[in-house]
Structures are given as structure tokens and as C-alpha cells.
Amino acid sequence: MSSNSTEDDLCAPDDTLCRVREHQQAVIIVPTLLLFGSLVTILALILLRYCPERTRPRVTARQSYNPSSHRHTQRHRHSHSHSRHLQGIDAPPGLNPLEHEELPMSVQQVQQNVKPIPVALHQTSTERHLEAFSQVTALPVSFPIKPNNAVSLYRARMGSRDVVLSVLKETANSSEKQHFLGFASFVSGLGPHPFIPTLMGVISVQPPFTMVVEELQHRDLLGFLWKCRQDNSGLESPYEMTEQRIFTMARQVASALNYLHSQSCIHGNMGARSILVSSNLTAKLWGFGTAYRRTQNNSSGEVEVMELKKWQAPEVLARRGATQSSDVWSFGILLYEMATLGDAPFSELMATELLQHLQRGKHLRRPAACSNSLHAIIRSCCQWNPQQRPSTSGLIGQLQAGENSANGRTVLRAPEPINIERYIREAGYGEGYNYAVL
């Protein structure tokens, strides 16, 4: 008799449970083990296939940075298309020991070896080597007024380029972190322009949060103008200002301001302190802190009151809000600063007296050795009625014409070096301080 017949005889004909027990090993357990083994094998193959890619930093678009507390304007959303020109990278370990500071960026590999990738304000970007930044040194503050205690500034080399690192301090609170990342997002949204400092990227994946911007050798225009006061006779010195150079640099700034206005953005902090100067004396517009705060603040009056009043248009002094025409007024004050090699405007007045002074029809005094064409542009920018001031596009044309006919040989001189303490008093510096030196 076969074995099957023997097993069947052990169970009663109607005992189904007995028959299941007799055959469970062959019918249930073995197929189950085979199925489990197949699933484990398939899972192992999937992990081997996809694990290496998960370990690589992933790049996301800048739009991924979207804190709920940030109000992004329509202009800012429209400008996202420019972010494709920027490059981003993960925070290099070499930055961790630094004490920290203030400026825009995300790091990338040496420029020649890296393909352009979108900047990542809230995610990682490409890998970064320890030697990404070299020759890192603290950037001295040249203007001793109320520094930003939340950030630290450093000068460094990134590949073959000189850059400035603005690093958020580890002691920064949540509000300061939000402001830092929000400002970085705002600046990156402005997009590239030849007369705006190049934003190299923003490190925001992990502390220390860092912005990286190209370094401009002569730093702020105000300090450059003060150096032009020195006697450089007989020397080949870059610290020389002619009227033709005033027109050239002013045209460059006007071009950047016109670009800003085309994005429905008001600068709100125009002045020599907010202009940076490169090694070839190209002027680039910076100092966007006020413009960013305006996007975060419902009351424009609360923003403008923080800035230097002697650069503000009458309507801003009267708390009627800033407009693009208000930037044009401040641009006229900038031209005055350039023509006087860094004198404070309305130096004979207290800031609280300025509005009444202007209401009486008074104007800026004419700088010594200022040509009729340059003085005419200053007067047109500083018209009481905003509608009578030129547009930024009109300004560019006037400055171009002045540049073509201006004196490019006679070097401007000032009677004496700048006295910092007197300048601070005459410029009306108080608690509101927004100096944009890099």
C-alpha cells in the first residue's frame, strides 16, 4: 500500500482538520517560505539600485523656500525666473569654526568645474569641498556706526574669485534667522544685472547660514569719495574723481535703479553708502535692506522713518509713503555726494528742520566746480513735485549725454579730509542706521 493511502487511513473519512494537519507542511508552509524569500530578494535589489542616489545632495528650486510668515509680493514671484542663473551648494564644513556675519549666498565648486544649477534656499545643492573658501579673514567695518549684531562679514577666496561671506551668527534668534533667509530669497529673486553685485548663492541647508557675494575692491562709494579727497598728485592712483566719471558711475547706478523699478520695487535707501565700487571703478547698486523690509511691512511709514532723513524726498518726510519718484529724489542727493566728494547733504540743517526748509522752496546748495549740466540734473531730481522729476529711463539718457561732453581730465578736489564725527552729526545719523558696506 502507498504512503498516501497509509496517511489517509490515519484519519477518519469525515475528519477534514486531521487531513489539513497531515498536509500543512507541503501545501502551506513551504509555499509561504518561498514567497517570503522572493519578496526579500526583490527588496534587496531595489535598495541596491536606489540607495546611492539617495545619499547624494538633492537640488530643489528656490521656490521651495516659502516660510508661512513671509509675504511674497507678485513682483517677487514674477522674478523667480531669474534664479536659474544662480548657483547653489551645501554648507562647507570649513565655515563652521567661523564666528559669523552679514551678506548673500550658497556655495558652489570652483566656477570652472561646476555646471550652473538653481540656487537652493531651503534644500541642499552640490557637494562642497573643505577648501571651497580660502584666505578667510574678517572684513573690517570702515564706518563705525551700529553694526548688525546678528551677522559677521568675512573676505575670502572662492576658487579664483574674491567674495564676501555674510554669515548668520549661531546666537541669532528665530526672527533673525527668518529675516536672513527672507532677505536672501528677496535678493536672489532680483536676478542678475551688470550693475548689481553678483549673488553667488545662499547656504541655507544647515548652520551657519551664509550669503556669498562678489567682492568689490573699493567697497562703498562713500568711502571711495573720501579717499578721493587725499592728495594723490604725482601718483598713479585709482582714487581720482572727475566729472566725467561722476556721469559714468551715476549712469550705471541709474541703470540698476531702472531695472529695480521695472520689477515694481522701490529701493528706498539710495545714497553713496549703498553703492559699491569695483576694481575698474564700476558702480553697483546695493543696500536692499529697506526694499526687503517694505515687502514684509504693511506700513511704509514705519519703514521709511528708520532711514536717514536727509536723503528722503519731501513726501516721505511727510509720511505720505515712498514711490519710484522718491528714489529719483534720493538719486539727486547721491549726485550731490559725488560732486562734493562725500559731503553730507543739507549739512547746515538739523534733520528735523529739513521738511520746513524744503517747503519754503529752498534747495541743495550748488557744489563748487559743478558744471551747469550736472547741476541741472541734480535740480531736476530734487523737484518738490514728484511728477516734475524725471523717470529713471529719462535719467539714463541725460547722464549719457552729460558723460559724452563732460570734463574727463580735471580731477575734483575737496578743501580738507573728511571729519568722521562732524559728518555723522551733519548727516543726521541717529538710531536708524542702514549702512550697506560689504
Side-chain angles (χ1 to χ4, degrees):
M1 185 179 292
S2 67
S3 59
N4 287 342
S5 299
T6 303
E7 292 172 0
D8 292 341
D9 291 341
L10 295 177
C11 298
D14 58 344
D15 192 347
T16 304
L17 180 60
C18 177
R19 292 177 181 276
V20 171
R21 286 175 178 172
E22 288 294 330
H23 297 283
Q24 65 179 354
Q25 181 174 355
V27 176
I28 300 175
I29 297 177
V30 172
T32 301
L33 292 176
L34 291 174
L35 178 60
F36 180 78
S38 300
L39 291 175
V40 170
T41 302
I42 293 172
L43 180 60
L45 291 174
I46 291 175
L47 291 176
L48 289 174
R49 172 64 179 84
Y50 293 104
C51 256
E53 291 193 7
R54 288 184 179 180
T55 60
R56 298 176 200 152
R58 297 175 65 86
V59 179
T60 61
R62 189 184 60 77
Q63 289 88 333
S64 63
Y65 172 68
N66 186 25
S68 59
S69 59
H70 281 202
R71 306 181 196 93
H72 293 290
T73 61
Q74 182 64 32
R75 179 212 58 77
H76 196 193
R77 290 194 298 269
H78 175 73
S79 64
H80 284 173
S81 61
H82 296 292
S83 64
R84 65 182 183 273
H85 299 286
L86 302 176
Q87 297 181 350
I89 67 174
D90 203 351
L95 276 183
N96 294 337
L98 295 179
E99 289 183 359
H100 310 352
E101 224 286 91
E102 169 177 14
L103 210 146
M105 138 162 205
S106 103
V107 197
Q108 75 200 16
Q109 282 182 336
V110 181
Q111 203 169 15
Q112 305 94 299
N113 300 329
V114 175
K115 295 180 180 180
I117 57 176
V119 68
L121 283 183
H122 207 54
Q123 298 290 333
T124 58
S125 22
T126 61
E127 296 179 359
R128 189 72 178 153
H129 296 302
L130 286 174
E131 64 273 15
F133 295 120
S134 61
Q135 305 175 26
V136 179
T137 58
L139 188 66
V141 178
S142 62
F143 198 73
I145 294 185
K146 197 177 179 181
N148 188 331
N149 293 323
V151 296
S152 301
L153 290 174
Y154 299 92
R155 174 186 290 117
R157 293 278 294 177
M158 189 177 73
S160 60
R161 300 192 65 170
D162 293 322
V163 297
V164 173
L165 311 178
S166 177
V167 185
L168 186 67
K169 294 183 178 180
E170 293 177 353
T171 56
N173 56 38
S174 59
S175 175
E176 290 168 334
K177 290 178 182 177
Q178 176 179 304
H179 178 85
F180 185 87
L181 293 176
F183 177 71
S185 176
F186 174 80
V187 173
S188 66
L190 293 178
H193 188 274
F195 303 124
I196 292 178
T198 302
L199 174 67
M200 310 301 297
V202 180
I203 302 173
S204 61
V205 181
Q206 62 186 31
F209 298 143
T210 305
M211 296 170 63
V212 183
V213 172
E214 67 166 324
E215 180 181 12
L216 284 83
Q217 178 181 335
H218 296 300
R219 299 176 68 181
D220 63 285
L221 176 60
L222 183 58
F224 177 82
L225 293 172
W226 290 349
K227 290 175 182 177
C228 290
R229 289 171 170 256
Q230 301 170 0
D231 184 6
N232 296 316
S233 57
L235 299 177
E236 283 293 328
S237 171
Y239 301 116
E240 293 183 347
M241 183 66 73
T242 64
E243 187 167 276
Q244 187 177 59
R245 182 164 290 160
I246 290 176
F247 278 109
T248 301
M249 298 175 80
R251 175 180 52 80
Q252 293 165 348
V253 175
S255 175
L257 185 60
N258 183 61
Y259 172 76
L260 207 64
H261 287 178
S262 71
Q263 300 193 56
S264 302
C265 183
I266 299 170
H267 188 278
N269 188 31
M270 290 294 299
R273 63 192 176 277
S274 298
I275 310 300
L276 302 178
V277 183
S278 70
S279 57
N280 63 358
L281 303 186
T282 298
K284 299 192 177 187
L285 180 60
W286 190 242
F288 298 120
T290 301
Y292 167 65
R293 286 201 304 273
R294 184 174 285 105
T295 68
Q296 305 301 301
N297 198 308
N298 289 328
S299 173
S300 60
E302 292 181 10
V303 173
E304 277 97 25
V305 76
M306 300 172 65
E307 309 307 334
L308 292 175
K309 293 184 176 181
K310 290 193 174 183
W311 279 258
Q312 293 177 340
E315 62 271 18
V316 179
L317 293 174
R319 303 293 184 87
R320 291 199 296 269
T323 63
Q324 294 181 358
S325 293
S326 306
D327 277 344
V328 173
W329 172 286
S330 301
F331 185 87
I333 306 297
L334 166 64
L335 291 176
Y336 173 87
E337 291 182 275
M338 297 173 74
T340 59
L341 298 182
D343 274 352
F346 303 105
S347 57
E348 71 280 9
L349 299 172
M350 297 287 290
T352 54
E353 302 170 339
L354 181 56
L355 182 57
Q356 288 186 340
H357 179 79
L358 297 173
Q359 286 174 330
R360 292 194 293 267
K362 303 294 185 180
H363 300 278
L364 272 170
R365 65 177 177 84
R366 178 169 178 164
C370 178
S371 69
N372 291 334
S373 59
L374 179 57
H375 186 243
I377 297 176
I378 294 175
R379 287 292 299 271
S380 68
C381 290
C382 296
Q383 289 291 317
W384 173 272
N385 189 337
Q387 283 71 39
Q388 294 179 352
R389 300 169 199 160
S391 64
T392 48
S393 57
L395 266 177
I396 294 172
Q398 294 179 40
L399 293 167
Q400 180 67 68
E403 180 181 357
N404 294 335
S405 60
N407 184 338
R409 296 179 300 276
T410 304
V411 177
L412 302 181
R413 294 297 177 201
E416 57 186 7
I418 199 69
N419 181 304
I420 295 291
E421 292 183 359
R422 187 176 69 186
Y423 176 85
I424 291 173
R425 183 175 63 254
E426 292 178 346
Y429 275 88
E431 294 183 359
Y433 169 68
N434 188 20
Y435 195 57
V437 169
L438 295 188

